[in-house]
Amino acid sequence: MDFDTLFEAQIKTLKEEGNYRIFAELERQVGAFPKARSHDPDGPEEVTVWCSNDYLGMGQHPKVVKAMQDAVGACGCGAGGTRNISGTNHQHKQLEAELADLHGKEAALLFTSGYVSNWAALSTLGSRLPNAVILSDALNHASMIEGIRHSRADKVIWKHNDPEDLDRKLAALPANATKIVAFESVYSMDGDISPMAEIVEVAEKHGAMTYLDEVHAVGMYGPRGGGVSEELGLADRITLIEGTLGKAYGVMGGYITGSEPLCDFIRSFASGFIFTTALPPAVAAAARVSIAHLKQSQMERARQRMQVRKLRERLNAIGIPHLDNPSHIIPVMVKDPVKCRQLADILMQDFGIYVQPINYPTVPKGTERLRFTPGPLHSDEDIDHLVMALTTLWKRCAIAHAVA
């Protein structure tokens, strides 16, 4: 059997549907963010990145860069193995203490990514707690869905951001069920924020554990960057808060925080923790400095929110359709996969603007979009250039203007 033929047939279908992903080859340059050097042959040498999850530019902050450089010089590059065998370093323990403090929890546990922390924690909770039932918001991230699936626990889907539907579904469960309510704070594709207080109240009413994914909120919300749960004063009422180091903190890695017994339980039973090589100490050192900085500094968040507000106002003024939400994420709606890809290509090639098209299966068919994430280092001139380019292309592609 010619396996390559099987592979190519499915890739061909993906391309015909307009959902084939093309990666731009960029080179980040310290001190220049959001500018980056492009290595694509058909585009400009320098582009402005408008879709980075390095939301605050901390990946190139001088303090973070120095912390990583110093740790490499002191400790070398790798961790030396899994945490279980030879890979637990002083920097890991320091970072876990920093994270526990960030969320006001007793303990924290590091993972190699936010995807892995969700997958490992949810699969372990669901598989090892007696009579576990995981109630998952309908728009939860793929990592949460995979973790729930892998756990083989009973699963109940509740309507997105609908506490009343959650209440009904919790009430219908048997009395002996161990109930786990899994949801996010900021949903990254639409940029909406969950009604967290109402969800927590419903969960408490039914004696359910709450599992909160704050990956798109840590560093961004709350007086110290503890996320929406900190901003609303709810962190102490949530059983487990999960987050990432790869977005607002500008490095890489994932984590969970909670009680000492909870974190020890996940540490002891999660295969995604036990059997994987630990984060390099230098990454942990840089993350700790980034978190500590954003606990104290409001400048990055304030500047970022100002630039988000400016871009929204400009898009409204010219009638470019974008989802109205209270977060830092601005999805510009195209609603056609082929046009979405075309717009992204032209923005890159003709205007030096890099934004990835978001197509199915990341979002439902018919809701394709360009997802913009303005940051504190985007200048007013960057915004002017983006708005000019979008105005030009919307006319060229004959896409209807509509204020969201």
Side-chain angles (χ1 to χ4, degrees), residues 215-278:
V215 296
H216 289 276
V218 290
M220 305 290 292
Y221 300 86
R224 301 194 311 155
V228 177
S229 57
E230 183 195 28
E231 189 168 273
L232 299 178
L234 294 169
D236 62 325
R237 295 169 63 185
I238 294 165
T239 314
L240 185 155
I241 297 175
E242 182 267 352
T244 186
L245 307 170
K247 293 184 170 59
Y249 294 124
V251 194
M252 70 170 293
Y255 65 87
I256 61 166
T257 62
S259 69
E260 190 71 53
L262 185 155
C263 290
D264 196 23
F265 172 80
I266 301 297
R267 183 191 70 86
S268 299
F269 293 111
S271 64
F273 175 84
I274 295 169
F275 297 109
T276 193
T277 300

Side-chain angles (χ1 to χ4, degrees), residues 175-403:
N176 69 341
T178 301
K179 310 174 187 78
I180 305 166
V181 175
F183 65 107
E184 302 181 37
S185 55
V186 178
Y187 286 83
S188 63
M189 287 303 109
D190 288 351
D192 54 333
I193 297 177
S194 64
M196 195 177 295
E198 292 89 339
I199 292 169
V200 170
E201 286 169 8
V202 168
E204 289 175 342
K205 170 184 169 184
H206 294 279
M209 173 190 297
T210 40
Y211 183 111
L212 173 64
D213 176 319
E214 286 260 42
V215 296
H216 289 276
V218 290
M220 305 290 292
Y221 300 86
R224 301 194 311 155
V228 177
S229 57
E230 183 195 28
E231 189 168 273
L232 299 178
L234 294 169
D236 62 325
R237 295 169 63 185
I238 294 165
T239 314
L240 185 155
I241 297 175
E242 182 267 352
T244 186
L245 307 170
K247 293 184 170 59
Y249 294 124
V251 194
M252 70 170 293
Y255 65 87
I256 61 166
T257 62
S259 69
E260 190 71 53
L262 185 155
C263 290
D264 196 23
F265 172 80
I266 301 297
R267 183 191 70 86
S268 299
F269 293 111
S271 64
F273 175 84
I274 295 169
F275 297 109
T276 193
T277 300
L279 284 173
V283 172
R288 184 178 65 81
V289 167
S290 183
I291 294 164
H293 175 82
L294 289 174
K295 283 180 178 178
Q296 303 294 327
S297 175
Q298 303 298 322
M299 179 182 66
E300 292 83 4
R301 286 188 284 271
R303 168 77 180 173
Q304 189 261 356
R305 289 175 184 178
M306 180 172 68
Q307 297 308 84
V308 169
R309 184 173 63 252
K310 285 179 183 176
L311 180 55
R312 286 193 186 280
E313 289 171 353
R314 295 291 302 278
L315 293 177
N316 283 335
I318 61 175
I320 297 291
H322 61 98
L323 294 183
D324 185 16
N325 63 54
S327 79
H328 58 284
I329 295 166
I330 304 179
V332 168
M333 305 307 290
V334 180
K335 300 183 179 181
D336 179 278
V338 175
K339 283 185 178 179
C340 203
R341 176 77 262 173
Q342 288 174 341
L343 284 170
D345 289 345
I346 299 169
L347 283 169
M348 182 76 150
Q349 292 163 10
D350 294 357
F351 298 95
I353 291 169
Y354 174 59
V355 60
Q356 271 288 54
I358 308 295
N359 290 347
Y360 178 84
T362 307
V363 295
K365 292 180 179 179
T367 68
E368 293 81 9
R369 66 201 63 183
L370 301 174
R371 178 182 173 274
F372 294 93
T373 54
L377 300 177
H378 284 103
S379 67
D380 290 350
E381 291 74 21
D382 290 334
I383 293 175
D384 291 342
H385 183 63
L386 172 62
V387 170
M388 178 275 295
L390 287 174
T391 303
T392 302
L393 292 191
W394 238 250
K395 293 175 182 176
R396 188 186 305 178
C397 296
I399 299 175
H401 286 220
V403 177

Side-chain angles (χ1 to χ4, degrees), residues 33-289:
F33 189 78
K35 307 297 184 195
R37 182 182 177 191
S38 173
H39 289 273
D40 287 348
D42 298 328
E45 288 187 7
E46 183 181 77
V47 299
T48 303
V49 179
W50 275 100
C51 56
S52 177
N53 284 344
D54 186 358
Y55 291 134
L56 300 177
M58 294 301 293
Q60 298 183 27
H61 191 282
K63 287 201 280 189
V64 178
V65 172
K66 184 176 187 303
M68 184 175 285
Q69 290 171 334
D70 289 349
V72 168
C75 304
C77 295
T82 66
R83 291 281 297 274
N84 188 47
I85 296 176
S86 60
T88 292
N89 285 263
H90 181 53
Q91 288 80 4
H92 296 136
K93 299 299 290 183
Q94 287 182 309
L95 176 54
E96 286 171 342
E98 194 80 58
L99 288 164
D101 174 77
L102 175 67
H103 295 293
K105 299 296 186 186
E106 292 178 353
L109 190 66
L110 281 175
F111 293 85
T112 50
S113 73
Y115 190 104
V116 173
S117 56
N118 267 334
W119 178 87
L122 280 166
S123 64
T124 303
L125 291 168
S127 63
R128 297 202 66 94
L129 293 180
N131 305 308
V133 180
I134 302 178
L135 298 101
S136 177
D137 183 286
L139 293 188
N140 275 343
H141 189 263
S143 58
M144 301 174 79
I145 294 167
E146 285 298 316
I148 295 166
R149 181 180 296 141
H150 185 74
S151 77
R152 299 186 178 177
D154 289 339
K155 176 181 68 174
V156 175
I157 306 296
W158 48 285
K159 293 178 184 176
H160 177 55
N161 281 349
D162 189 336
E164 292 181 1
D165 189 52
L166 174 62
D167 189 22
R168 286 190 294 269
K169 287 175 174 170
L170 279 165
L173 295 177
N176 69 341
T178 301
K179 310 174 187 78
I180 305 166
V181 175
F183 65 107
E184 302 181 37
S185 55
V186 178
Y187 286 83
S188 63
M189 287 303 109
D190 288 351
D192 54 333
I193 297 177
S194 64
M196 195 177 295
E198 292 89 339
I199 292 169
V200 170
E201 286 169 8
V202 168
E204 289 175 342
K205 170 184 169 184
H206 294 279
M209 173 190 297
T210 40
Y211 183 111
L212 173 64
D213 176 319
E214 286 260 42
V215 296
H216 289 276
V218 290
M220 305 290 292
Y221 300 86
R224 301 194 311 155
V228 177
S229 57
E230 183 195 28
E231 189 168 273
L232 299 178
L234 294 169
D236 62 325
R237 295 169 63 185
I238 294 165
T239 314
L240 185 155
I241 297 175
E242 182 267 352
T244 186
L245 307 170
K247 293 184 170 59
Y249 294 124
V251 194
M252 70 170 293
Y255 65 87
I256 61 166
T257 62
S259 69
E260 190 71 53
L262 185 155
C263 290
D264 196 23
F265 172 80
I266 301 297
R267 183 191 70 86
S268 299
F269 293 111
S271 64
F273 175 84
I274 295 169
F275 297 109
T276 193
T277 300
L279 284 173
V283 172
R288 184 178 65 81
V289 167

